[in-house]
Amino acid sequence: AERFLYLIPSCFFSGKSALLHALASSDGIQIHNTHNIRLLLEAGADVKATMSDGDNVFTNLIFLLGETEGREPEETAALRQFCLEATQLLLSHSAEPNACPPEESLVYVCINQYEVHLPLLRALLDSGACCYCPQHGPSCWSGFTLVFERLRVLMNCSDSGITHTDALCRAETALELMVGSTAHPKIPSGWKVIPSAYPVHTEHVLGLYRSLKLMGSSPATLKHLCRVSIKCLLRPVPLDAKVKALPLPDRLKWFLLLENGKGAEEEIQ
């Protein structure tokens, strides 16, 4: 409570709103301010507030996500968990995580390191965030091309901290989340994948690429459109509890949440 009271007058001295101050003064490890952020949002704090230099409610979270190098694993995990919780709070009050230039977009940042940010990426896409530049479209930046580029880097690096197989599995999950968040995926025109850039699992990578290109040029299935429409109706996020409360079989709930395995999905086709 004392911390919360301190935040209120801070805007008079720093030019920041109380919400921006609570976010900017959180380091994700020792200082979280999650409770204060929740209280401020529930009291009607403006999630669209910005500073004169352009900083917004996601600016510090983007900064923190880039500060994990060299930290102990426990600190990194705590920092990412704080960013996830803070983002979920902001999204539940209709904060907009998309932006251009790309380095100011939390969606871009998460896709660009999809291998460590899948939970956060899921929360963002569930909220309705698009996986491409919101102002200029996929020709500016596209989450689909970002995933393949990041996968290329991981497959050509021996000290990335992740196996090639795991990198591929997480890339598949990221692509599935992006495809499942929109009625029709927007694939950049002229985009091509060079097979020689992927020294391992080449055919699997090409299969993912061809599947995406086909989806981009074909009508969406009714099953897919139903999933997207239902998720839209259940917003704002988080969707997990809302979907699980629906009077539906578990397999359909898994399908809506994109948590089903291939076998389960085949059974409901």
Side-chain angles (χ1 to χ4, degrees), residues 128-149:
C130 57
C131 55
Y132 52 84
C133 176
Q135 296 182 26
H136 310 104
S139 60
C140 179
W141 65 265
S142 164
F144 296 113
T145 59
L146 281 175
V147 167
F148 277 85
E149 175 58 22

Side-chain angles (χ1 to χ4, degrees), residues 209-228:
Y209 165 72
R210 295 187 189 109
S211 178
L212 273 177
K213 294 287 283 187
L214 181 62
M215 281 188 282
S217 60
S218 306
T221 64
L222 179 60
K223 180 180 70 172
H224 175 73
L225 293 175
C226 287
R227 173 165 56 189
V228 173

Side-chain angles (χ1 to χ4, degrees), residues 36 54 57 71 73 90 114-115 123 135 140 157 170 172 183 197 218 241:
N36 293 334
V57 292
R71 292 187 181 274
L90 293 168
Y114 70 83
E115 73 276 10
Q135 296 182 26
C140 179
C157 182
R170 297 185 194 187
E172 284 189 88
S218 306

Side-chain angles (χ1 to χ4, degrees), residues 65 76-77 79-89 91 106-107 109-111 113-127 129 170 173-174 177 231 237-240 257-259:
L65 290 175
T76 298
L79 190 152
R80 289 174 180 159
Q81 182 61 30
F82 164 74
C83 289
L84 174 60
E85 292 176 2
T87 298
Q88 288 174 326
L89 286 172
L91 294 175
L106 185 57
V107 180
V109 170
C110 289
I111 297 175
Q113 281 194 303
Y114 70 83
E115 73 276 10
V116 294
H117 294 318
L118 284 177
L120 186 49
L121 179 59
R122 178 186 291 274
L124 291 165
L125 294 174
D126 278 350
S127 76
R170 297 185 194 187
T173 300
L177 290 174
K231 290 172 71 174
V237 292
L239 299 182
D240 188 75
L257 292 171
L258 291 166
E259 292 179 349

Side-chain angles (χ1 to χ4, degrees), residues 32-89:
H32 295 83
N33 286 336
T34 309
H35 180 62
N36 293 334
I37 293 168
R38 179 182 288 106
L39 289 176
L40 288 165
L41 289 169
E42 291 174 352
D46 184 8
V47 294
K48 297 181 180 180
T50 59
M51 294 284 290
S52 58
D53 59 3
D55 285 2
N56 57 43
V57 292
F58 291 109
T59 300
N60 190 57
L61 299 180
I62 292 173
F63 171 77
L64 290 177
L65 290 175
E67 290 293 297
T68 57
E69 187 174 350
R71 292 187 181 274
E72 293 296 324
E74 295 79 9
E75 290 186 345
T76 298
L79 190 152
R80 289 174 180 159
Q81 182 61 30
F82 164 74
C83 289
L84 174 60
E85 292 176 2
T87 298
Q88 288 174 326
L89 286 172

Side-chain angles (χ1 to χ4, degrees), residues 3 25-33 71 75 78-79 82:
R3 178 72 177 170
S25 59
S26 300
D27 64 11
I29 299 173
Q30 294 181 332
I31 303 174
H32 295 83
N33 286 336
R71 292 187 181 274
E75 290 186 345
L79 190 152
F82 164 74

Side-chain angles (χ1 to χ4, degrees), residues 88-252:
Q88 288 174 326
L89 286 172
L90 293 168
L91 294 175
S92 68
H93 288 79
S94 302
E96 175 52 63
N98 284 94
C100 189
E103 60 270 15
E104 295 180 7
S105 168
L106 185 57
V107 180
Y108 177 95
V109 170
C110 289
I111 297 175
N112 204 35
Q113 281 194 303
Y114 70 83
E115 73 276 10
V116 294
H117 294 318
L118 284 177
L120 186 49
L121 179 59
R122 178 186 291 274
L124 291 165
L125 294 174
D126 278 350
S127 76
C130 57
C131 55
Y132 52 84
C133 176
Q135 296 182 26
H136 310 104
S139 60
C140 179
W141 65 265
S142 164
F144 296 113
T145 59
L146 281 175
V147 167
F148 277 85
E149 175 58 22
R150 181 61 179 170
L151 180 59
R152 182 194 66 78
V153 171
L154 294 173
M155 285 190 167
N156 285 276
C157 182
S158 59
D159 59 350
S160 63
I162 183 174
T163 66
H164 295 153
T165 300
D166 203 9
L168 179 60
C169 288
R170 297 185 194 187
E172 284 189 88
T173 300
L175 293 171
E176 183 183 39
L177 290 174
M178 287 189 285
V179 169
S181 69
T182 181
H184 194 270
K186 294 185 177 181
I187 310 298
S189 60
W191 171 49
K192 294 182 179 180
V193 164
I194 301 174
S196 59
Y198 303 87
V200 293
H201 303 299
T202 307
E203 286 304 315
H204 198 146
V205 173
L206 290 177
L208 290 175
Y209 165 72
R210 295 187 189 109
S211 178
L212 273 177
K213 294 287 283 187
L214 181 62
M215 281 188 282
S217 60
S218 306
T221 64
L222 179 60
K223 180 180 70 172
H224 175 73
L225 293 175
C226 287
R227 173 165 56 189
V228 173
S229 297
I230 292 171
K231 290 172 71 174
C232 286
L233 292 172
L234 293 175
R235 289 173 186 150
V237 292
L239 299 182
D240 188 75
K242 295 179 181 179
V243 170
K244 290 179 179 177
L246 294 174
L248 296 172
D250 285 343
R251 285 194 182 93
L252 287 177

